[in-house]
Amino acid sequence: MSIRVDIEKCTGCGSCEPACPFGVIKIVSDVAQIGDGCNLCGACKDACGFEAIVIELPASQAPAHDDSKGVWVFAEQREGKIKDVVFELLAKGRELAQSLNTEICAVCLGHNVKGINQLFEHGADKVYLFDDPALAQFQDDIYTQCLTDLIREHKPQIMIAGATSLGRAFIPRIAAILETGLTADCTGLDIDKNTGLLLQTRPTFGGNIMATIVCRVRRPQMATVRPHVFKRGTPVAGRKGEIIRGSLEGKPAGSRIKVLQFIEDVTEKIKIEDAEIIVAGGRGLGKAENFKLLEELASAIGAAVGASRAVVDDGWIPYSHQVGQTGKTVCPRLYIACGISGAVQHLAGMQTSDCIVAINEDPNAPIFQVATYGIVGDLFEIVPMLTARIKEARGL
Amino acid sequence: MEYFLTDQQKTIRDIARGITEEKIIPARAELDEKEEFPWEIIKEIARADLFRVFIPEQYDGLGGGILDLCLAIEELSRGCCGVSISYAAVALGSIPILKFGSEEQKQKYLPQIASGQRLAAFGLTESSAGSDASAMKTLAVSDGTSYLLNGTKQFISNGGEAEIYTVIAMTNPSKGSRGASAFIVEKDTPGFTFGKKEKKMGIRASSTRELVFHNCRIPKENLIGKEGVGFIVTLKTLDQSRPGVAAQGVGIAQGALEEAVAYARQRVQFGQPISSFQAIQHMLADMAIQIEAARALVYAVARTIDSGATNFSEESAMAKVFAGDMAMRVTTDAVQILGGPGYMRDYPAEKMMRDAKIIQIYEGTNQILRNDIISHVYKRKGKRE
Amino acid sequence: MNILVCIKQVPGTTEVKINKETNTLVREGAKGIINPFDTYAIEEGVKLKERFSGKVTVLTMGPPQAEASLRESIEVGADEGILISDRAFAGSDTLATSYVLSKAIAKIGSYDLIIVGKQTMDGDTGQVGPEIAQRLGVPFVAYVSAVEEITDGKIRARQMIDEGYQIVESPLPCVMSVSKEINTPRLPSIRGKMKAKSAKLANWTAKDLGAEENKIGSAGSPTWVMQIFSPKRDHQSEMFQGDAQSKVSKLTQKLSDMKVI
C-alpha cells in the first residue's frame, strides 16, 4: 500500500473526506478509510490536521545516480519552416539550462529546413540536425526512431516540445519507448532549487486546480507546452553554435501511415460556446456597421464575436452570436464586453467567465459590477487603440 | 410521489426524459415558430425504441401496457406537446389494428410502426361530425373485392406525415351507429390526398391536416374486423388512448410548474425573490397539488386497464377531463407567475399555455366526456361498484 | 471487424475548488460520467460496427464504480465491457495506464481497430492513446474527424491538424483518437438499457493481465503530483484610470500577464 491511515493519529474529524477530488474517502467508525480510486494526489494528507495520512513512495521512485545532462528542445518544422513555438521553448529552455548549469540543444528533423541559425540566435548551444528528403514530411516511424536513438545516445536531462497537433501525437510515443514521464500542456516550467528536478505545472479539472508534477527518476524529464504560453526571447543576432548532423543509416525506410492529401483550413469558424476568448458588443456600438471594430479586435486577439440581445434583435448580428439568458451561456477565459450595459439577462449568460473586461461610457453600467477590469470611456477610441496594441504585441 | 414503477417503466421514463432534455427542449421554440414537423426528433424517438412500447413482442415491440405508454407521453410532453402528440397519435392510429385487426394485418403493419419506419394516424373527425361522430358522411362502398372511399376527414394529427391511417367510414348509412366500419388506408393510395396544414393556436410542430378521399379504392383486406363494428372500434380505441392524452396534460403542467418555480426563485422584486411571497407560494402549491392529483389518477387508470379491466370508459374519460382542465389552469398560472416575461415568446410559458388548450378539446371534448361520465354515474346511482 | 474502445470514467463536474483557508481541495459531490471525448469514440465504434459489421468491446481501467460507464456504453450500442481494476493500479500516470491497457488488449488478442477519445477531462493529456499504440507496435492516427473507408486491411481517414486537415491511410490494426467533429453520440435506447442492465462484464485484475508489479500503479509512474494549488483569480473590479492611452496600456499589460497575447 502506498497510502495508509495511521489509526492511532486519526480522530475521525472528516476533514479529508471532502478534500478528496475523487470522492473515495469515507469515515467509518470514526476512522478514515481510503477506498479504491485513490490516485495518491495527497490532497487528503494536506487536509489532515493530525498527520494521520501517510503516503509512502515505492523504492523505485527513490532518486538514483543520474548521469543525464542537457536541456533539449524539439525544433518542430513544417514544410522547411521552424514553428514559432520552438522559439518560445528555447527562451524558457535557456532559463532552465542556466539554472542547471548545462547546455541547451535543439533537435531538428526535416529536409532543407530554413533558419537553423535562428535556433542559435534564440539560445541553442547545439543543434542536432537530421536532413533528408525522407524526413521532409512528418513520418511517424522514422521520426520516432531518430529521436529515440539520439536521446539514448546523448541522455538529455530534459526534453521539451510544443504541444502542437504533431507534438501531442508524436512525443507520447517517445515517452512510452523510453518509459519516462511526460507532462502535457504545461503552463509553467521551473527548476527546483533543492533537487534540480524539472517542476512541471499545469491546470487540471478544467483549469480549476493547478498541479505541479515532477518526474523523479526516469530521464529525460519530458514536457509539452502549448503555443503562446511562454514568450519568445530577443534573439542575439549572429550568435553561432554547433550543428551535429545525424544520419538515417539503419533507420526504417518508410512510414506505415501515408498522407494522401492536405487541405488547408482558411475559414476558421469558432463557435462562441467553445471559444476561449470572446469579444462582445451591445447597444453602445450605435449601429450594425460598427461591429466591424469588434471583428478586427477579435481577429487580432483570436476571439469569437458575441453580442447582447438588443443588437441581435435589431438585426445587427445573427442570433448565433447572442450571449445571455435567451441566447447562449458562455464561460470563456476572457470576455471583453464593449458597449454592453450589463442587463441581468446578459450577465446570466457570461458572468462566470474567468476574466471579464468591460468597456463602457457609463460609469454606472451594471457590467462593471462583474468586470475584473473596467474601462470607462468611448469604445470608438478605446477599441481601435486596443486592437492596434494587440497586433503590435503579437507581431501581426 | 413514489409510484413504484417496474424496471422497464423506469427505463422508458428515463429514455423519454433524456430525449426531452437533449433534443426537445433545445428545439421546441424553433419548431413552434416554424410550425415544422419534428422529423429529427421522431427519428430519435424511434431509435430509442419508444415506438416499440405499445406494440406486442411478437410484432417486434416491447409489449408495454398503457402505463408504459403514458410514462413516455408524459415525459415528452414536459418538453413539447407538439412533439408528444406526434408520438401519441401513432399509438392512437395503431390501436384499431392492435385490438381488432387480423393476424395478417398485424404482421403487415405493426412491425413497421414498432421500428418507427412508418408513422400511423387515426381518422375519425369530420367537419360535420365532431362530438357527434355518428353524423359522419365519409362513405365506403363495397363492390365485393374492394371498397371505394369518398369523403373528407378533418383535423387529423400526423395527417400527411403518417403512412398508415386507420379511418372510420360509413358502410351502411341506414344503420346509423351500427353502419360504420374501420379501414386501413395507406398514404399514396390513388384518390387519397391531404388538405393544407392547419395553422393552430398551439402544438404547432404537429401536422394537422384534412384527409381527402375521392374515389379512393382500397382492397377488402383493409377492412378491420367486420362491417358495422366501426363505432365499437372507435369507442374502445379512445378508451385506450385517453389516458395518454391525460398524460400529456400531466407532462405539460409539470414543465410549466418547473418553469414557474425556477423563475420565481430568481426574480427579485421589493428586495426579495418573488418565491418568498405567499401569493406566489399558494399559486405554486395549488399547481403542484393539481398535477400530482392528475398524475395519480392517470397512473391508477392505466394500471387498472393493464391489470385486465374490461370496462373503463368512465375512468378513462375522467382522467382526460381532469388532466386537461388542470393543464389549462396550471399553464395559465405559470404565465401569470412569470408576469411580463411570461407573455413574451422568448420564454416557454406562453407556448405551454397555448399548447395546453387542445387537451380540453381533442379526443372527446371535455363537455362531451362529461356527458359520457354522467351516464355512467347515473347508471350506478352515484355509488361505488 | 473487432473494434476496441478505451474509455475512462471521470468526475461529473469540473467544479473542484480549493478551500482558501486550508489550501485543500473541496469537491462538490458529482457522480462519475464517461469522459466526454470517449462518448464520441464509443459512437464511432458503434457506427463502424453498423457499417462494416463486427463487434465493439469497451475497456476501462478504473475503480469498481467505473463499471457504470461500461454499462452506459452498452446502452448506446457497444457489445461487451471489460473492467480492469485492481488496488495496485492506484496512482497510475499515463505511462502506467498505457501499460495496463496494452496488457489487457494483448490478452484480448485479436483486434482490428482501437478507438480512444482525444483527451480526458480531468487529466487533459491525450497521451494514453499514442502510448498504447507504441506499446502494441501499431500506428497511431490522431484527431480523426471522419472515417472515409476501411478496406483491404487499411483505414482511410480525415485527420485534423493545426493547419487544416489531411487524408491519411494506415494499415490495420491501428489506434485512432477522435474528437467532437466526428459524430453526434446517440442517446440510449430502451433495448440498449435493458441489455446493459443484465450484461455480464469481465473483470480483470493485475494478476489476470500478468502485469509486472513495477510497471503499474505508483511504482510504474515516473511522474508524480507534487503539489496542487488554486490558480489566482481576481474578483475585485479594477477600474483603470487616466487617459485613453494609459487605460489601454494597462489593459494590454494585463492581457500580456494573462498570456492572452
Side-chain angles (χ1 to χ4, degrees):
Chain A
M1 278 280 112
S2 307
I3 186 165
R4 64 182 176 84
V5 176
D6 186 337
I7 308 174
E8 304 288 309
K9 293 188 176 155
C10 176
T11 63
C13 74
S15 304
C16 52
E17 194 174 342
C20 175
F22 304 98
V24 301
I25 303 185
K26 288 195 200 352
I27 309 294
V28 178
S29 308
D30 275 341
V31 174
Q33 276 186 12
I34 300 171
D36 300 316
C38 165
N39 225 31
L40 296 173
C41 73
C44 54
K45 184 172 155 211
D46 294 336
C48 178
F50 300 95
E51 293 183 356
I53 297 180
V54 180
I55 296 180
E56 281 149 356
L57 294 169
S60 67
Q61 293 286 12
H65 171 66
D66 185 357
D67 61 352
S68 65
K69 65 172 180 53
V71 173
W72 284 20
V73 171
F74 179 64
E76 183 183 333
Q77 59 81 26
R78 187 176 164 83
E79 291 174 1
K81 185 168 176 286
I82 297 174
K83 289 204 140 177
D84 287 341
V85 66
V86 175
F87 302 110
E88 294 163 14
L89 296 180
L90 280 172
K92 173 56 76 170
R94 201 162 168 78
E95 259 176 54
L96 300 175
Q98 273 166 353
S99 301
L100 289 169
N101 213 1
T102 187
E103 60 182 9
I104 167 164
C105 314
V107 180
C108 187
L109 311 177
H111 183 52
N112 292 339
V113 180
K114 299 185 216 348
I116 300 288
N117 58 304
Q118 284 187 302
L119 295 172
F120 296 120
E121 289 177 0
H122 278 267
D125 297 314
K126 289 191 178 111
V127 172
Y128 291 98
L129 178 64
F130 286 76
D131 188 327
D132 194 289
L135 297 172
Q137 219 183 37
F138 171 67
Q139 299 251 47
D140 211 330
D141 298 330
I142 317 179
Y143 270 53
T144 303
Q145 195 71 54
C146 286
L147 189 53
T148 44
D149 286 349
L150 200 64
I151 290 175
R152 281 191 172 126
E153 192 187 332
H154 297 283
K155 301 202 181 96
Q157 281 164 288
I158 291 171
M159 164 105 231
I160 56 181
T164 58
S165 53
L166 188 157
R168 295 199 298 271
F170 164 59
I171 298 292
R173 299 190 70 134
I174 311 288
I177 297 173
L178 299 172
E179 305 243 19
T180 186
L182 168 63
T183 304
D185 300 342
C186 296
T187 51
L189 290 174
D190 299 281
I191 302 293
D192 185 291
K193 291 188 243 314
N194 300 325
T195 59
L197 288 173
L198 179 66
L199 298 174
Q200 303 150 53
T201 302
R202 60 171 308 225
T204 59
F205 288 103
N208 288 314
I209 302 289
M210 304 297 283
T212 301
I213 296 156
V214 292
C215 176
R216 296 166 70 92
V217 179
R218 305 284 172 81
R219 295 291 177 266
Q221 303 159 82
M222 296 180 68
T224 62
V225 181
R226 295 232 173 196
H228 307 309
V229 167
F230 295 138
K231 282 230 204 26
R232 67 197 274 157
T234 335
V236 174
R239 184 170 180 279
K240 300 223 191 306
E242 194 188 342
I243 296 181
I244 300 164
R245 290 180 184 274
S247 111
L248 290 192
E249 202 184 300
K251 316 272 193 241
S255 214
R256 291 170 290 179
I257 299 180
K258 296 194 190 335
V259 178
L260 302 178
Q261 201 190 352
F262 165 63
I263 299 114
E264 202 179 338
D265 186 8
V266 283
T267 57
E268 242 222 339
K269 289 195 178 84
I270 320 172
K271 276 171 62 178
I272 59 167
E273 309 94 277
D274 301 328
E276 289 222 337
I277 309 178
I278 297 175
V279 172
R283 269 262 156 75
L285 283 175
K287 55 185 171 138
E289 290 72 31
N290 292 337
F291 253 102
K292 211 153 153 287
L293 279 175
L294 296 194
E295 274 155 29
E296 276 169 32
L297 173 57
S299 174
I301 204 169
V305 176
S308 71
R309 187 190 144 176
V311 299
V312 170
D313 288 346
D314 286 356
W316 298 3
I317 192 168
Y319 173 72
S320 56
H321 295 263
Q322 186 175 323
V323 173
Q325 198 169 55
T326 54
K328 295 199 173 89
T329 301
V330 297
C331 182
R333 247 183 95 199
L334 174 63
Y335 189 88
I336 305 180
C338 308
I340 292 178
S341 62
V344 172
Q345 290 80 2
H346 184 80
L347 296 186
M350 47 59 77
Q351 64 195 350
T352 56
S353 307
D354 288 351
C355 172
I356 299 169
V357 174
I359 303 170
N360 198 300
E361 259 187 343
D362 174 11
N364 296 317
I367 190 96
F368 289 120
Q369 284 163 24
V370 298
T372 318
Y373 303 119
I375 294 183
V376 178
D378 179 357
L379 70 89
F380 294 103
E381 205 190 345
I382 306 281
V383 172
M385 221 182 260
L386 183 61
T387 307
R389 291 292 294 271
I390 289 172
K391 278 187 175 163
E392 200 188 308
R394 294 189 87 189
L396 291 171
Chain B
M1 184 155 97
E2 172 65 58
Y3 286 96
F4 295 97
L5 304 174
T6 64
D7 277 345
Q8 176 169 295
Q9 285 162 349
K10 283 185 201 161
T11 299
I12 291 170
R13 181 198 61 189
D14 291 344
I15 296 264
R17 192 173 291 176
I19 293 178
T20 300
E21 290 293 335
E22 303 290 324
K23 305 287 176 188
I24 298 178
I25 292 178
R28 62 186 174 186
E30 191 178 333
L31 288 169
D32 179 66
E33 177 88 38
K34 294 190 175 161
E35 306 201 35
E36 276 175 358
F37 190 76
W39 273 113
E40 284 311 307
I41 299 177
I42 291 290
K43 288 196 184 103
E44 285 288 344
I45 288 174
R47 211 192 328 192
D49 293 334
L50 283 171
F51 286 114
R52 297 186 194 277
V53 168
F54 50 86
I55 305 284
E57 278 177 21
Q58 66 262 48
Y59 307 106
D60 295 349
L62 290 166
I66 299 291
L67 180 53
D68 299 53
L69 179 60
C70 285
L71 290 166
I73 295 174
E74 180 186 339
E75 289 298 332
L76 297 176
S77 302
R78 180 179 152 267
C80 171
C81 274
V83 175
S84 70
I85 189 59
S86 304
Y87 168 72
V90 176
L92 174 60
S94 313
I95 295 171
I97 303 173
L98 265 165
K99 296 289 170 192
F100 301 97
S102 67
E103 191 55 38
E104 287 77 20
Q105 287 168 335
K106 288 184 199 176
Q107 295 280 5
K108 181 174 179 186
Y109 295 107
L110 296 182
Q112 294 174 332
I113 294 172
S115 67
Q117 189 196 343
R118 296 173 102 196
L119 301 180
F122 183 60
L124 171 72
T125 304
E126 296 182 15
S127 64
S128 55
S131 292
D132 185 9
S134 57
M136 71 168 62
K137 295 195 170 73
T138 302
L139 274 179
V141 178
S142 167
D143 71 357
T145 56
S146 66
Y147 287 90
L148 195 66
L149 258 59
N150 273 290
T152 306
K153 294 294 179 185
Q154 190 187 53
F155 300 155
I156 306 303
S157 297
N158 285 357
E161 318 289 350
E163 294 181 49
I164 301 167
Y165 295 81
T166 46
V167 176
I168 311 296
M170 296 303 285
T171 34
N172 202 330
S174 63
K175 284 203 175 156
S177 58
R178 298 250 176 84
S181 306
F183 297 93
I184 302 169
V185 189
E186 294 186 53
K187 187 176 174 187
D188 295 333
T189 304
F192 177 16
T193 54
F194 302 99
K196 69 167 181 22
K197 186 163 158 168
E198 303 289 355
K199 281 157 60 173
K200 308 187 294 291
M201 174 180 176
I203 56 165
R204 289 184 179 170
S206 162
S207 287
T208 311
R209 290 191 170 92
E210 286 179 338
L211 309 182
V212 183
F213 302 104
H214 183 67
N215 292 336
C216 173
R217 194 170 293 286
I218 57 176
K220 71 173 180 5
E221 288 73 27
N222 284 29
L223 172 69
I224 297 177
K226 329 193 290 251
E227 281 191 26
V229 299
F231 279 122
I232 308 276
V233 171
T234 300
L235 294 173
K236 295 283 180 199
T237 294
L238 292 172
D239 283 348
Q240 297 258 328
S241 67
R242 281 188 183 127
V245 180
Q248 280 194 299
V250 175
I252 197 175
Q254 176 66 35
L257 175 67
E258 288 173 23
E259 293 294 329
V261 168
Y263 185 82
R265 291 179 73 178
Q266 54 86 48
R267 172 66 175 171
V268 174
Q269 288 285 268
F270 306 110
Q272 298 174 63
I274 64 175
S275 58
S276 59
F277 299 137
Q278 209 167 58
I280 299 288
Q281 288 171 346
H282 284 193
M283 281 174 81
L284 289 170
D286 284 335
M287 286 159 75
I289 294 167
Q290 292 285 295
I291 293 170
E292 206 60 46
R295 178 176 290 124
L297 179 57
V298 173
Y299 289 10
V301 172
R303 280 186 162 135
T304 293
I305 301 172
D306 289 341
S307 302
T310 44
N311 294 312
F312 43 85
S313 306
E314 185 187 353
E315 40 273 65
S316 184
M318 283 177 163
K320 192 271 199 191
V321 169
F322 186 79
D325 287 347
M326 175 281 292
M328 197 63 228
R329 279 196 302 275
V330 167
T331 52
T332 306
D333 283 348
V335 173
Q336 190 68 20
I337 290 173
L338 263 71
Y343 202 71
M344 304 303 159
R345 301 237 299 271
D346 292 312
Y347 293 80
E350 60 82 34
K351 171 182 173 293
M352 291 174 175
M353 185 177 159
R354 284 188 286 112
D355 287 351
K357 187 65 195 154
I358 193 66
I359 301 174
Q360 294 173 301
I361 298 173
Y362 62 13
E363 303 224 7
T365 61
N366 283 8
Q367 284 69 37
I368 204 69
L369 291 183
R370 282 181 166 89
N371 278 7
D372 291 348
I373 291 166
I374 200 59
S375 67
H376 288 286
V377 172
Y378 281 166
K379 216 185 316 182
R380 55 184 169 79
K381 301 189 181 53
K383 294 196 214 292
R384 296 192 61 187
E385 300 299 343
Chain C
M1 266 195 87
N2 212 344
I3 301 169
L4 307 181
V5 181
C6 297
I7 67 169
K8 183 180 177 187
Q9 190 184 59
V10 296
T13 176
T14 52
E15 280 312 303
V16 183
K17 296 185 168 54
I18 294 229
N19 178 324
K20 286 202 170 64
E21 281 146 48
T22 62
N23 199 39
T24 54
L25 277 162
V26 174
R27 172 187 46 83
E28 279 172 30
K31 76 176 182 81
I33 57 168
I34 299 179
N35 173 45
F37 285 113
D38 296 348
T39 61
Y40 297 93
I42 297 165
E43 174 65 27
E44 196 58 25
V46 175
K47 276 178 74 176
L48 289 174
K49 168 185 81 157
E50 288 169 349
R51 194 168 151 196
F52 298 104
S53 95
K55 187 172 96 158
V56 175
T57 304
V58 181
L59 300 87
T60 189
M61 180 184 107
Q65 56 259 39
E67 186 187 293
S69 291
L70 292 175
R71 292 199 191 274
E72 281 168 41
S73 310
I74 296 176
E75 283 177 13
V76 291
D79 298 292
E80 283 174 19
I82 303 176
L83 175 66
I84 305 153
S85 186
D86 199 310
R87 297 202 100 190
F89 298 148
S92 292
D93 69 358
T94 58
L95 192 72
T97 303
S98 67
Y99 171 73
V100 170
L101 285 171
S102 53
K103 290 293 275 186
I105 293 170
K107 184 174 160 74
I108 291 172
S110 127
Y111 50 89
D112 298 297
L113 178 65
I114 302 170
I115 312 179
V116 300
K118 176 173 119 168
Q119 64 197 56
T120 60
M121 213 173 75
D122 55 358
D124 286 329
T125 66
Q127 283 165 202
V128 174
E131 289 182 5
I132 290 176
Q134 185 57 48
R135 290 184 186 276
L136 295 173
V138 301
F140 175 67
V141 187
Y143 311 122
V144 172
S145 61
V147 172
E148 297 199 342
E149 185 58 74
I150 294 180
T151 177
D152 285 339
K154 288 202 281 270
I155 183 170
R156 194 173 74 233
R158 196 161 91 162
Q159 176 187 57
M160 305 206 336
I161 57 175
D162 291 331
E163 297 79 12
Y165 61 92
Q166 47 191 29
I167 312 292
V168 296
E169 191 184 80
S170 169
L172 292 177
C174 73
V175 178
M176 77 180 201
S177 79
V178 300
S179 184
K180 295 195 292 193
E181 293 71 17
I182 194 165
N183 58 42
T184 305
R186 67 192 65 185
L187 294 171
S189 68
I190 299 176
R191 290 177 303 173
K193 277 211 171 210
M194 283 160 43
K195 183 176 169 194
K197 246 198 185 83
S198 58
K200 287 229 173 332
L201 305 172
N203 212 310
W204 292 350
T205 61
K207 188 150 164 257
D208 293 324
L209 300 180
E212 292 168 46
E213 238 178 68
N214 65 343
K215 289 194 163 172
I216 60 175
S218 48
S221 302
T223 63
W224 178 60
V225 176
M226 207 177 81
Q227 195 202 359
I228 47 162
F229 59 94
S230 192
K232 274 206 305 236
R233 257 184 235 278
D234 213 289
H235 289 293
Q236 305 298 89
S237 200
E238 198 183 318
M239 305 297 293
F240 298 135
Q241 306 297 333
D243 67 359
Q245 278 271 31
S246 61
K247 282 178 185 165
V248 173
S249 286
K250 287 182 190 144
L251 179 58
T252 322
Q253 183 57 49
K254 294 286 180 191
L255 294 182
S256 171
D257 292 345
M258 274 173 67
K259 306 244 168 70
V260 166
I261 52 173

